[in-house]
Amino acid sequence: DIVLTQSPGTLSSSLGERVTLSCRASQTVRSNYLAWYQQKPGQAPRLLIFDASTRATDIPDRFSGSGSGTDFTLTIRRLEPEDLAVYYCQQYAKPPITFGQGTRLDIK
Amino acid sequence: QVQLVQSGAEAQRSGSSARVSCKYSGDSFNTDAIAWVRQAPGQGLEWMGMIVPLLRFTTYAQKFQDRVTITADTSTKTAYMELRSLTSEDSAVYYCARQIPKGPAPNYLDAWGPGTWVTVSS
């Protein structure tokens, strides 16, 4: 199975700042088949990014994804209060689907 | 716009089974794939398996292979996940999610149900 390792485990940033979350795969994620999800407390996950860099429907352009191979990044520009959440990466290049362990984003 | 509505919370005893339903609102139930993902309290997301109703195709994570069955009723557009031989470690929120069609291959999950709590006690 492809193991995804996210870093940092917890990130605390101020409103208006730019933050970068990392997701590293144990082997190459072919075709950049990597997605990012946001999960707010008490809610189901929501798709943010698929194919490493394509924003899902209705996702603001403050969210962007990049990377290839084994290293991927989610960047959030101009942090807003509603961005408080846990963020997960997921690979769908090779079955079974696997998720990273998550990065918790706190707002200072 | 696909919407997924799940059945209510369940309280089960160790050794028994849980069955969670997921009713799909939309036009593409037969061709979409429905995946099941669980999340234990305070933990991350764990993919359990998926079904493609049109293909009558199911695939399961190896960890759950012997204990889980995912089915679909195309007449009611409802998917089901049954997990057997429950232990306390199966206490979790169980989500169904729509997977963009790509045949039997895995893909990203673009619509999620609200989740169903399953609590297992001894």
Side-chain angles (χ1 to χ4, degrees):
Chain A
D1 297 2
I2 296 179
V3 176
L4 300 177
T5 302
Q6 292 186 239
S7 60
T10 302
L11 182 59
S12 184
S13 292
S14 300
L15 298 177
E17 285 191 347
R18 167 182 160 147
V19 297
T20 299
L21 286 63
S22 172
C23 176
R24 176 163 290 178
S26 61
Q27 55 186 277
T28 296
V29 178
R30 70 172 181 87
S31 302
N32 294 335
Y33 282 160
L34 187 115
W36 289 92
Y37 299 85
Q38 176 192 63
Q39 186 177 34
K40 296 182 179 181
Q43 297 185 17
R46 178 176 73 147
L47 177 68
L48 296 176
I49 302 285
F50 62 92
D51 294 348
S53 61
T54 303
R55 271 188 301 277
T57 303
D58 295 330
I59 300 303
D61 61 7
R62 300 187 297 107
F63 293 87
S64 63
S66 63
S68 63
T70 61
D71 291 301
F72 298 87
T73 299
L74 174 69
T75 300
I76 310 173
R77 292 184 293 117
R78 300 188 309 274
L79 207 59
E80 297 189 1
E82 61 264 30
D83 298 335
L84 182 152
V86 179
Y87 293 83
Y88 295 95
C89 58
Q90 173 229 337
Q91 68 80 24
Y92 45 97
K94 179 181 175 183
I97 283 173
T98 51
F99 293 90
Q101 82 280 16
T103 291
R104 181 179 304 276
L105 178 58
D106 292 331
I107 310 298
K108 285 182 183 175
Chain B
Q1 185 85 1
V2 170
Q3 290 193 325
L4 303 171
V5 177
Q6 297 185 225
S7 49
E10 293 193 20
Q12 300 291 348
R13 305 284 279 198
S14 293
S16 68
S17 300
R19 189 175 190 239
V20 181
S21 68
C22 173
K23 186 163 181 61
Y24 175 110
S25 294
D27 294 329
S28 304
F29 179 74
N30 284 356
T31 52
D32 282 349
I34 301 295
W36 289 89
V37 176
R38 79 175 186 179
Q39 185 172 39
Q43 302 301 306
L45 303 169
E46 185 173 33
W47 181 82
M48 300 178 69
M50 74 167 197
I51 186 167
V52 184
L54 179 68
L55 302 178
R56 299 180 186 271
F57 172 83
T58 55
T59 184
Y60 303 114
Q62 189 168 9
K63 174 179 178 177
F64 301 103
Q65 182 79 35
D66 296 334
R67 296 198 297 134
V68 70
T69 301
I70 297 173
T71 57
D73 183 338
T74 55
S75 67
T76 61
K77 297 185 182 180
T78 303
Y80 299 89
M81 187 283 299
E82 181 182 45
L83 187 62
R84 301 177 292 278
S85 302
L86 294 170
T87 71
S88 58
E89 295 187 352
D90 294 315
S91 294
V93 177
Y94 289 78
Y95 294 102
C96 63
R98 194 271 289 262
Q99 176 177 299
I100 291 293
K102 205 167 74 173
N107 210 342
Y108 56 90
L109 307 172
D110 75 330
W112 293 66
T116 296
W117 266 105
V118 175
T119 305
V120 183
S121 62
S122 54

